[in-house]
Amino acid sequence: MSSHSEFLWYIPNDVKAGHRGDAADPDHNSLDTLTSQAKALEQHGWKGALIGTGWGRPDTFTIATALVARTTSFEPLIAVRPGYWKPANFASSAATLDQLSGGRVRVNVVSGPDQLAAYGDEEGDQAQRYARTKEFMRLVRKLWTEEDVTFTGSHFQVAGSTVAPRLAPIGDRRHPKLYFGGASEAAERVAATEADVQLFWGEPLDGVRQRIDRLKELGKTLDRDLPPLEFGLRITTLVRDTTEQAWADAEARVAKMAKGAAGSWQDHRHGVAVGQQRLLDLARQGDVLDDNLYTAPGKFGGGGAGTTWLVGSAEDVARALRKYEQLGITHFILSDTPYLAEIKRQGDQLLPLLV
């Protein structure tokens, strides 16, 4: 794969032990446990990790800050929600952590369904949520790159706002990258104009190709005034020493899920977003699509990046990821459970075939 592709992992942060069938370790969310994962990522070739968000889970920004303080190169991709944060508060917090960490902050802006009323948010309608997200991303970027910002939008306003500390450019990086996801028409319009990186879940190659083409055209139609949109893939990768062993383990895991014996942790139950429904619909086309995209997990409780899995030996999975890269994917966020063991296994077996 080309040298400009980046590989991140996923670090769960939830008060409930067990995650998508992982072993229920009572200390799974302690600082020591999370730090062990972040340090293992550094030691086994990963750039960093996505840290998910959602009401009822520990605060993502706090987790990221703690892990940055205990590592030297680990880059957190911090998931945040407009409505939970105001743009100026967030821009200042992120700029502070970015300065303290030497430019290690990345941001994933999330607009999907959540328990909005639980944290005092009133805008749950899709059109309102994405219109607000568009303003949030535009204003945060202005606050990072301009001084004495005055902005009056439909959802956010600031007057004479200068965020401190000021972000120092690092090469051609002027500010943390803004990652974004979503497959609805409203989400794609936001991505095409405001995101730095659009994340896809594990769809077949043809579906990803079509979405990339559509987003590029939307960017032209909507007069995108930012550098070209980049693309990423967030997916579960089940890697074993041989193809046969990988499929045996994948099918056994799904059989356990089908019996309801794999745990009930599910972070996509607050309504089915368009992107999630696209993944669930794939199972109608067959249990295995392309060469090794396994759709069966979605039938039995797999959600989000756990809905579809790339299954096989390190060589099989690397071959599949290369095909996504050929479509224009340059940001890869992979994971499997148990997290720490798979950080090491895939870092040692899969990454050397990709970087």
Side-chain angles (χ1 to χ4, degrees), residues 199-215:
L199 289 175
F200 304 120
W201 278 332
E203 296 189 30
L205 293 164
D206 282 346
V208 171
R209 179 186 296 109
Q210 292 168 12
R211 292 187 63 192
I212 288 175
D213 290 345
R214 185 164 62 249
L215 284 163

Side-chain angles (χ1 to χ4, degrees), residues 138-188:
R138 174 67 47 153
L139 179 51
V140 164
R141 188 181 278 106
K142 285 177 69 70
L143 290 165
W144 280 339
T145 58
E146 301 176 19
E147 298 183 27
D148 195 27
V149 174
T150 295
F151 180 95
T152 302
S154 300
H155 303 277
F156 301 112
Q157 300 83 37
V158 297
S161 184
T162 299
V163 163
R166 302 305 300 161
L167 288 169
I170 302 174
D172 59 359
R173 176 191 186 270
R174 298 182 63 204
H175 58 75
K177 285 186 182 294
L178 293 177
Y179 291 65
F180 185 71
S184 67
E185 180 180 354
E188 289 189 336

Side-chain angles (χ1 to χ4, degrees), residues 19-326:
H19 187 276
R20 294 179 184 161
D22 200 3
D25 180 348
D27 296 323
H28 83 107
N29 201 57
S30 70
L31 181 55
D32 285 345
T33 296
L34 296 175
T35 299
S36 70
Q37 295 181 28
K39 288 186 173 180
L41 289 165
E42 291 183 320
Q43 294 162 4
H44 293 270
W46 303 91
K47 191 76 171 175
L50 169 64
I51 304 175
T53 189
W55 186 250
R57 298 167 70 176
D59 178 68
T60 310
F61 205 94
T62 305
I63 295 289
T65 301
L67 295 182
V68 161
R70 286 196 164 194
T71 55
T72 56
S73 63
F74 168 80
E75 298 188 14
L77 175 52
I78 307 169
V80 301
R81 289 180 177 274
Y84 187 91
W85 286 90
K86 288 187 176 181
N89 301 116
F90 175 73
S92 177
S93 294
T96 301
L97 184 57
D98 199 65
Q99 183 195 56
L100 293 174
S101 67
R104 287 193 267 156
V105 170
R106 300 168 186 237
V107 176
N108 180 31
V109 180
V110 180
S111 290
D114 192 18
Q115 298 178 41
L116 304 179
Y119 50 87
D121 193 0
E122 298 179 351
E123 297 191 81
D125 172 78
Q126 185 194 67
Q128 289 177 310
R129 280 191 290 113
Y130 282 110
R132 183 177 62 177
T133 297
K134 179 180 174 66
E135 278 191 17
F136 181 91
M137 296 171 78
R138 174 67 47 153
L139 179 51
V140 164
R141 188 181 278 106
K142 285 177 69 70
L143 290 165
W144 280 339
T145 58
E146 301 176 19
E147 298 183 27
D148 195 27
V149 174
T150 295
F151 180 95
T152 302
S154 300
H155 303 277
F156 301 112
Q157 300 83 37
V158 297
S161 184
T162 299
V163 163
R166 302 305 300 161
L167 288 169
I170 302 174
D172 59 359
R173 176 191 186 270
R174 298 182 63 204
H175 58 75
K177 285 186 182 294
L178 293 177
Y179 291 65
F180 185 71
S184 67
E185 180 180 354
E188 289 189 336
R189 293 177 71 87
V190 173
T193 55
E194 305 301 331
D196 296 311
V197 181
Q198 165 71 23
L199 289 175
F200 304 120
W201 278 332
E203 296 189 30
L205 293 164
D206 282 346
V208 171
R209 179 186 296 109
Q210 292 168 12
R211 292 187 63 192
I212 288 175
D213 290 345
R214 185 164 62 249
L215 284 163
K216 288 181 176 179
E217 287 303 313
L218 265 177
K220 296 175 184 176
T221 302
L222 299 174
D223 296 324
R224 177 183 174 90
D225 59 358
L226 300 172
L229 182 62
E230 300 172 34
F231 303 101
L233 181 70
R234 168 75 184 100
I235 192 169
T236 294
T237 44
L238 193 153
V239 174
R240 298 293 184 268
D241 292 340
T242 68
T243 303
E244 294 75 19
Q245 183 184 356
W247 280 106
D249 286 0
E251 290 167 358
R253 186 181 293 183
V254 168
K256 189 176 179 182
M257 293 169 64
K259 295 177 181 177
S264 59
W265 205 104
Q266 169 57 275
D267 52 356
H268 293 273
R269 285 181 174 158
H270 305 304
V272 179
V274 172
Q276 176 67 80
Q277 191 60 55
R278 286 173 65 97
L279 295 189
L280 294 174
D281 291 344
L282 293 175
R284 300 174 189 169
Q285 302 176 32
D287 281 354
V288 182
L289 303 179
D290 292 340
D291 295 324
N292 57 336
L293 183 67
Y294 195 30
T295 68
K299 298 178 183 179
F300 306 109
T307 312
T308 57
W309 308 345
L310 286 175
V311 177
S313 65
E315 291 77 10
D316 297 333
V317 173
R319 190 178 307 115
L321 293 175
R322 288 191 199 101
K323 291 180 180 179
Y324 284 103
E325 190 192 42
Q326 290 168 5

